[in-house]
Amino acid sequence: DRIFTYDIFYAVTRAVQDLNAGDGTVVPALQGLDQRCPIRFTMESAQTYFSSSEGLGITIEQLSREPGVERLPCAFVGAIASSVSVPSSMATGLLGYPQVSGASTSSDLEDKKNHPLFGR
């Protein structure tokens, strides 16, 4: 559902903004975080078209970036569709990157052997 997708995108964008600004309006514990923590969060998004091969290709491209030349990921927000999150979570988990998705509901993602760093 397109509206659901926009809602999730807005929520993640707002979270990054609040983290970087130390804005505690929604989550009071964030108040002043920008003064206490030097880390700045960034975000990029990609269109997978609900395709597992498209999603895995994008994930592999992001994991293959050249350190010092390209911005490297530190974590991944998985897709809405479990069919996209399952293969990308295998790749990110194998290489030590956490991945979260509150929308992917497949029970396959509960298998910590295949998805060691996946969370909801």
Side-chain angles (χ1 to χ4, degrees):
D1 182 76
R2 203 173 257 167
I3 292 176
F4 181 65
T5 302
Y6 292 132
D7 287 347
I8 291 173
F9 185 77
Y10 172 78
V12 173
T13 303
R14 172 68 193 260
V16 169
Q17 178 182 338
D18 288 356
L19 286 163
N20 288 334
D23 183 345
T25 304
V26 177
V27 180
L30 295 181
Q31 189 64 42
L33 181 66
D34 58 324
Q35 303 300 312
R36 300 186 310 269
C37 177
I39 297 171
R40 295 296 166 252
F41 297 86
T42 62
M43 168 188 142
E44 65 183 86
S45 63
Q47 176 58 269
T48 65
Y49 303 100
F50 296 97
S51 163
S52 57
S53 60
E54 185 74 23
L56 186 57
I58 291 166
T59 301
I60 290 170
E61 181 275 320
Q62 292 173 338
L63 292 170
S64 302
R65 292 179 177 169
E66 188 176 343
V69 176
E70 299 172 283
R71 187 171 57 192
L72 302 176
C74 63
F76 289 79
V77 176
I80 291 172
S82 295
S83 61
V84 177
S85 290
V86 168
S88 65
S89 174
M90 288 179 174
T92 57
L94 282 171
L95 295 173
Y97 291 89
Q99 180 174 319
V100 297
S101 174
S104 293
T105 59
S106 172
S107 61
D108 291 347
L109 292 162
E110 296 170 17
D111 178 355
K112 290 301 177 189
K113 180 180 174 192
N114 289 321
H115 308 279
L117 298 175
F118 182 83
R120 291 193 175 95

